[in-house]
């Protein structure tokens, strides 16, 4: 970003950047649902000769804009003309898991509860499959002011399958100012305490909570200590 002439991003993410990174830059920001405009603007700036950085939250290839940018470059026949590099970041589910202990030590699934781009029927089907396959489940975008019923629906689904006592970690603002960590169970989680900046991790049948941490065993102790 220090080398960039132009920095493009969602308004909230631009605000998270230090002022010294933005000084002297051409800064372009838009609000929610402005993703296509942001990406097309970034491509236009790059074509005009600007070294352009698109800022995302977490990892740019996970629920972010790397894919959309590549789609636009492909659409315009620019994949061979515009140098493009994805800089890896730390996804929210990884940051949240580190604060909770080790809940992702075994197979897990990550699902966004936002139905803005994906039909709810598809989202629910994926979560049901993860539950039936005994995956640890990380939830992105679990609840917003306008979308407040999906998380209670998922918790109800878990209780219906007899999984109401599974450990749940709710991490708000992971690795950011205002960070908070709450460890509870499926039945104990209050959806009212969850927002769009919260990552929810629901354990599988083997996950335990102990001394304020979540642990999903990988199986080392069971395999090697008993052999």
């Amino acid at each position: 970003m220090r080398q960039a002439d132009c920095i493009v991003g969602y308004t909230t993410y631009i605000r998270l950047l230090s002022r010294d990174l933005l000084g002297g830059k051409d800064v372009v920001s838009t609000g929610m649902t402005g993703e296509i405009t942001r990406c097309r603007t970034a491509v236009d700036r790059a074509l005009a000769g600007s070294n352009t950085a698109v800022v995302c939250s977490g990892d740019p290839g996970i629920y972010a804009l790397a894919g959309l940018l590549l789609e636009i470059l492909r659409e315009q026949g620019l994949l061979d003309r515009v140098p493009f590099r994805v800089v890896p970041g730390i996804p929210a589910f990884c940051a949240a898991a580190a604060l909770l202990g080790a809940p992702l030590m075994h197979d897990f699934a990550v699902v966004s509860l936002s139905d803005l781009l994906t039909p709810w029927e598809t989202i629910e089907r994926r979560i049901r499959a993860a539950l039936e396959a005994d995956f640890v489940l990380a939830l992105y975008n679990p609840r917003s002011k306008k979308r407040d019923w999906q998380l209670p629906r998922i918790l109800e689904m878990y209780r219906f399958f007899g999984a109401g006592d599974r450990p749940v970690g709710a991490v708000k603002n992971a690795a950011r100012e205002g960070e908070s960590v709450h460890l509870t169970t499926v039945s104990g989680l209050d959806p009212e305490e969850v927002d769009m900046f919260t990552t929810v991790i629901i354990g599988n049948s083997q996950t335990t909570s102990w001394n304020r941490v979540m642990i999903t065993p990988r199986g080392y102790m069971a395999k090697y200590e008993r052999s």
Side-chain angles (χ1 to χ4, degrees):
M1 284 190 289
R2 293 189 186 281
Q3 297 171 355
D5 306 308
C6 175
I7 295 179
V8 181
Y10 175 43
T11 304
T12 299
Y13 302 153
I14 293 292
R15 289 176 183 154
L16 293 173
L17 297 176
S18 60
R19 296 300 97 187
D20 66 307
L21 280 176
L22 300 178
K25 312 285 187 185
D26 175 17
V27 179
V28 178
S29 65
T30 62
M32 188 69 72
T33 73
E35 292 86 357
I36 292 179
T37 299
R38 287 201 297 277
C39 289
R40 292 197 182 279
T41 299
V43 170
D44 290 343
R45 294 292 201 278
L47 286 172
S50 291
N51 188 7
T52 304
V54 178
V55 177
C56 301
S57 175
D59 185 281
I62 299 177
Y63 295 121
L65 295 182
L68 177 56
L69 278 163
L70 285 170
E71 287 182 83
I72 290 173
L73 290 174
R74 181 182 63 184
E75 171 196 78
Q76 298 183 17
L78 297 172
L79 281 173
D80 295 329
R81 287 183 52 196
V82 177
F84 186 99
R85 182 164 66 102
V86 178
V87 180
I90 300 175
F93 69 83
C94 290
L99 292 167
L100 290 166
L104 303 181
M105 282 292 294
H106 216 306
D107 299 334
F108 63 91
V110 183
V111 179
S112 169
L113 292 193
S114 173
D115 58 358
L116 186 62
L117 299 175
T118 305
W120 173 252
E121 293 76 14
T122 300
I123 295 171
E124 184 168 329
R125 186 170 67 250
R126 289 172 178 171
I127 291 176
R128 184 181 300 274
L131 173 57
E132 292 177 345
D134 202 24
F135 280 84
V136 176
L137 180 65
L139 296 175
Y140 272 45
N141 306 314
R143 185 175 182 273
S144 69
K145 293 180 180 178
K146 295 182 179 180
R147 188 176 43 75
D148 59 1
W149 60 269
Q150 286 94 334
L151 179 59
R153 166 66 186 140
I154 297 308
L155 298 176
E156 176 188 350
M157 186 189 304
Y158 269 76
R159 289 191 294 268
F160 178 81
F161 277 88
D165 59 346
R166 290 195 183 178
V168 171
V171 180
K172 185 177 296 186
N173 294 316
R176 294 180 184 171
E177 184 178 352
E179 175 185 278
S180 66
V181 181
H182 180 53
L183 185 59
T184 181
T185 64
V186 167
S187 296
L189 181 65
D190 181 2
E192 296 290 330
E193 299 298 320
V194 173
D195 60 19
M196 286 289 284
F197 296 102
T198 305
T199 302
V200 175
I201 297 181
I202 305 176
N204 68 9
S205 63
Q206 303 301 308
T207 305
T208 59
S209 60
W210 178 79
N211 196 24
R212 294 178 294 179
V213 300
M214 283 178 71
I215 305 170
T216 301
R218 181 75 175 94
Y220 297 109
M221 296 287 284
K223 181 175 179 61
Y224 298 114
E225 287 290 317
R226 296 175 186 175
S227 60

